[in-house]
């Protein structure tokens, strides 16, 4: 079967691309989704307490504001409902092939099209949009003896809702963005909760509040009022990027975070364990109003000694202490800089993205890759954020892709790919700008790839990125006419 445009993934990126294509009269596209429902990250992460740490007003499509958010920070179920409602509202659900995983996609130079092998058969496509996202492949550390554990063990993104936590001894391994939500949610239920922390995080107050009935009425009746609120929240959030780009400014935020820690944790010994020793922002800054108080409860222990091994009924730390546990929850993140999809997409020379990247993903404007004609990545290399909503980045990329498609049609050419020199200049510029940011102050984070580069984040404002992406720039591209 053939389609003009094949999209991989039905999360925010793939769904947004499908909607925008359809709005512009393009119906010859298909979305491959390996799961049985759309939603991506917000389908997979259903752990207790799961919610967005970006304000609700900016964590939605600009063309589909939601006047029904119940809180200033949206819970997982509402975001998932929102995405499904968008698919139905804009009529793109019929284009999604559920239960269809892409095994590989190869560029056929002779035919100037992509050949795609899926679990539901073979396809060809003129254009391939990879929108799998960076937060879909969980990482579970290879702990000695883990296979001998006799209790329940699962990753936060694969939550076992059948697991009984009430009165049991639960271990949470990791203290990142998922763990700070899970710990307060399960602490009242667990008999004993042991939190294994490798590095303490900077935690800022969330200051979440429910949205009131009158706000909902205003947003429903006066859409412009919600657009104004979205703009206010956007610029308030966007302003925080200055501290990430000028690390000295982050000291002000650090003082606020230390005050938050003092308020939440009266015990000086525990507070010492939870005090970071690196510049704030180098790792992801977390937001929570209840994480610190949860750690002070009588049934909670924070363990900072490294894990040495797992036994059938315990986790053992390097100091020899055996911590009895019945359930292990891994809040240990995702494969961000070594995406599995990169091993499945092969370009003009027959080599995969992973082989081209050699451990350090690179793309022109985070969207196109030299040697891979008519391939567009959504939330590709260096398009992640540490301060604002990635939906803004996704929409900017989609606009760029649509302009690229118009260029193909207008010029009557078969394919486009960025010139290697244009991509190299762009990446070099990124690296220069990254050098002066807080992300280059020396901590170890999931932003950093196997070569030591930060190939995850955009070293600037979303406003600057969106301005760059307003128009497709054909001069940076090589045209393929036959």
């Amino acid at each position: 079967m053939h389609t003009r445009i094949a999209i991989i993934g039905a999360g925010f990126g793939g769904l947004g691309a499908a909607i925008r294509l359809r709005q512009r009269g393009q119906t010859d596209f298909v979305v491959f989704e390996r799961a049985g429902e759309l939603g991506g990250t917000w389908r997979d992460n259903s752990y207790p307490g799961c919610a967005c740490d970006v304000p609700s007003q900016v964590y939605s499509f600009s063309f589909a504001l939601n006047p029904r958010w119940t809180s200033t920070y949206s819970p997982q179920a509402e975001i998932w409902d929102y995405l499904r409602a968008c698919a139905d509202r804009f009529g793109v659900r019929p284009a999604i092939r559920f239960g269809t995983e892409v095994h590989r996609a190869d560029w056929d130079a002779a035919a100037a099209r992509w050949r795609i092998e899926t679990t539901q058969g073979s396809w060809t496509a003129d254009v391939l949009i990879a929108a799998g996202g960076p937060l879909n492949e969980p990482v579970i550390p290879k702990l000695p003896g883990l296979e001998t554990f006799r209790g329940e063990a699962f990753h936060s993104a694969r939550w076992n809702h059948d697991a009984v936590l009430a009165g049991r001894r639960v271990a949470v391994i990791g203290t990142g963005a998922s763990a700070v939500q899970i710990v307060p949610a399960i602490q009242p239920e667990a008999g004993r909760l042991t939190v294994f922390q490798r590095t303490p995080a900077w935690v800022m107050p969330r200051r979440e509040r429910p949205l009131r009935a009158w706000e909902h009425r205003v947003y429903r009746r006066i859409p412009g009022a919600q657009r104004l609120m979205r703009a206010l929240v956007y610029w308030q959030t966007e302003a925080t990027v200055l501290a990430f780009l000028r690390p000295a400014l982050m000291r002000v935020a650090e003082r606020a975070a230390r005050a938050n820690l003092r308020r939440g944790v009266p015990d000086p010994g525990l507070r010492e364990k939870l005090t970071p020793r690196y510049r704030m922002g180098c790792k992801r800054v977390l937001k929570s109003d209840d994480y610190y108080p949860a750690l002070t409860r009588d049934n909670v222990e924070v363990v900072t000694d490294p894990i040495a091994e797992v036994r059938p009924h315990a986790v053992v730390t390097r100091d020899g202490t055996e911590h009895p546990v019945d359930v292990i929850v891994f809040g240990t993140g995702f494969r961000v800089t070594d995406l599995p999809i990169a091993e499945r997409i092969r370009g003009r020379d027959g080599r995969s993205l992973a082989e081209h990247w050699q451990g350090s993903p690179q793309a022109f404007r985070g969207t196109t890759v030299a040697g891979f004609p008519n391939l567009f990545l959504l939330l590709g290399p260096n398009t992640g954020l540490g301060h604002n909503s990635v939906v803004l980045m996704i929409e900017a990329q989609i606009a760029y892709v649509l302009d690229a498609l118009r260029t193909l049609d207008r010029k009557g050419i078969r394919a486009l790919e960025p010139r290697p020199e244009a991509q190299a200049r762009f990446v070099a510029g990124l690296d220069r700008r990254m050098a002066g940011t807080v992300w280059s102050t020396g901590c170890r984070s999931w932003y950093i790839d196997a070569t030591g580069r930060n190939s995850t984040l955009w070293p600037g404002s979303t406003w600057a990125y969106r301005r760059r992406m307003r128009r497709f720039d054909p001069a940076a591209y090589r045209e393929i006419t036959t």
Side-chain angles (χ1 to χ4, degrees), residues 140-214:
I140 293 181
K142 296 178 180 179
L143 301 176
L146 180 59
E147 70 283 356
T148 70
F149 185 64
R150 294 183 183 176
E152 301 280 357
F154 48 88
H155 193 276
S156 60
R158 302 292 184 267
W159 193 270
N160 181 358
H161 290 277
D162 294 327
V164 176
L165 304 184
R168 303 184 76 188
R169 300 168 298 185
V170 181
V172 174
I173 298 177
T175 52
S178 298
V180 300
Q181 297 179 344
I182 293 169
V183 168
I186 68 173
Q187 173 271 319
E189 184 180 6
R192 182 72 180 169
L193 181 58
T194 307
V195 179
F196 291 89
Q197 172 187 279
R198 184 174 64 181
T199 308
W202 288 100
V203 181
M204 292 289 280
R206 188 177 175 88
R207 297 193 176 94
E208 182 176 3
R209 68 168 180 83
L211 292 177
R212 304 173 182 90
W214 69 264

Side-chain angles (χ1 to χ4, degrees), residues 73-352:
Y73 289 88
S74 313
Q76 172 265 337
E78 286 188 24
I79 300 174
W80 192 21
D81 284 345
Y82 166 79
L83 289 171
R84 288 180 288 184
C86 283
D88 295 332
R89 171 184 170 187
F90 293 101
V92 299
R93 186 178 284 272
I96 305 175
R97 301 293 189 269
F98 293 109
T100 305
E101 183 173 3
V102 173
H103 285 319
R104 63 182 293 161
D106 297 83
W107 176 253
D108 183 338
R113 60 177 46 171
W114 288 95
R115 298 196 177 277
I116 305 165
E117 298 297 328
T118 80
T119 53
Q120 302 298 323
S122 301
W123 288 74
T124 57
D126 300 326
V127 174
L128 181 62
I129 300 176
L135 303 181
N136 61 59
E137 291 292 338
V139 170
I140 293 181
K142 296 178 180 179
L143 301 176
L146 180 59
E147 70 283 356
T148 70
F149 185 64
R150 294 183 183 176
E152 301 280 357
F154 48 88
H155 193 276
S156 60
R158 302 292 184 267
W159 193 270
N160 181 358
H161 290 277
D162 294 327
V164 176
L165 304 184
R168 303 184 76 188
R169 300 168 298 185
V170 181
V172 174
I173 298 177
T175 52
S178 298
V180 300
Q181 297 179 344
I182 293 169
V183 168
I186 68 173
Q187 173 271 319
E189 184 180 6
R192 182 72 180 169
L193 181 58
T194 307
V195 179
F196 291 89
Q197 172 187 279
R198 184 174 64 181
T199 308
W202 288 100
V203 181
M204 292 289 280
R206 188 177 175 88
R207 297 193 176 94
E208 182 176 3
R209 68 168 180 83
L211 292 177
R212 304 173 182 90
W214 69 264
E215 292 175 281
H216 291 148
R217 286 195 298 271
V218 169
Y219 292 155
R220 282 196 305 270
R221 296 172 185 174
I222 312 173
Q226 188 169 16
R227 293 201 174 278
L228 175 60
M229 179 57 69
R230 178 184 170 96
L232 292 173
V233 172
Y234 167 74
W235 285 110
Q236 181 183 44
T237 307
E238 186 74 351
T240 64
V241 76
L242 294 175
F244 290 87
L245 303 181
R246 305 284 187 272
L249 299 177
M250 196 61 82
R251 293 191 179 95
V252 176
E254 287 180 3
R255 286 197 290 271
R258 289 193 181 95
N260 183 47
L261 176 57
R262 287 193 298 272
R263 286 191 300 269
V265 182
D267 176 55
L270 177 58
R271 198 161 60 234
E272 178 67 17
K273 286 184 178 181
L274 299 173
T275 301
R277 308 298 180 194
Y278 55 90
R279 176 67 69 214
M280 185 175 180
C282 188
K283 291 176 177 286
R284 186 171 181 85
V285 179
L286 308 182
K287 294 180 180 179
S288 177
D289 295 325
D290 51 11
Y291 177 61
Y292 284 151
L295 297 180
T296 68
R297 305 306 182 205
D298 291 340
N299 66 330
V300 178
E301 179 185 9
V302 176
V303 176
T304 58
D305 206 58
I307 295 173
E309 64 173 313
V310 177
R311 294 176 183 169
H313 299 286
V315 173
V316 181
T317 46
R318 195 166 56 188
D319 62 0
T321 302
E322 185 175 89
H323 303 270
V325 296
D326 305 307
V327 179
I328 298 176
V329 176
F330 290 99
T332 44
F334 301 86
R335 291 179 62 180
V336 174
T337 59
D338 61 336
L339 295 174
I341 192 65
E343 300 166 0
R344 304 180 186 188
I345 299 176
R346 297 181 178 276
R348 279 190 297 105
D349 62 2
R351 294 192 300 153
S352 68

Side-chain angles (χ1 to χ4, degrees), residues 374-450:
N374 284 6
L375 171 66
F376 299 93
L377 309 176
L378 298 184
L379 283 188
N382 290 110
T383 57
L385 297 173
H387 74 287
N388 211 329
S389 170
V390 293
V391 182
L392 302 165
M393 305 292 278
I394 290 171
E395 286 201 55
Q397 289 185 288
I398 291 172
Y400 188 81
V401 173
L402 293 176
D403 203 17
L405 296 178
R406 284 191 289 267
T407 300
L408 286 172
D409 293 339
R410 186 176 67 252
K411 292 192 170 187
I413 55 181
R414 303 289 298 277
L416 288 162
E417 65 171 275
R419 299 180 184 278
E421 60 273 20
Q423 179 173 307
R425 282 195 303 270
F426 178 79
V427 173
L430 283 177
D431 290 345
R432 283 194 301 272
R433 293 197 301 276
M434 190 71 73
T437 68
V438 72
W439 302 298
S440 299
T441 53
C443 74
R444 178 184 176 187
S445 77
W446 56 267
Y447 302 144
I448 307 302
D449 62 35

Side-chain angles (χ1 to χ4, degrees), residues 29-65:
F29 64 86
V30 65
V31 182
F32 298 123
E33 172 53 59
R34 66 182 179 182
E37 184 53 281
L38 60 87
T41 295
W42 299 104
R43 175 200 60 232
D44 293 343
N45 287 269
S46 60
Y47 57 78
C50 184
C52 190
D53 59 3
V54 173
S56 302
Q57 296 294 0
V58 291
Y59 204 82
S60 61
F61 294 123
S62 63
F63 54 83
L65 301 189

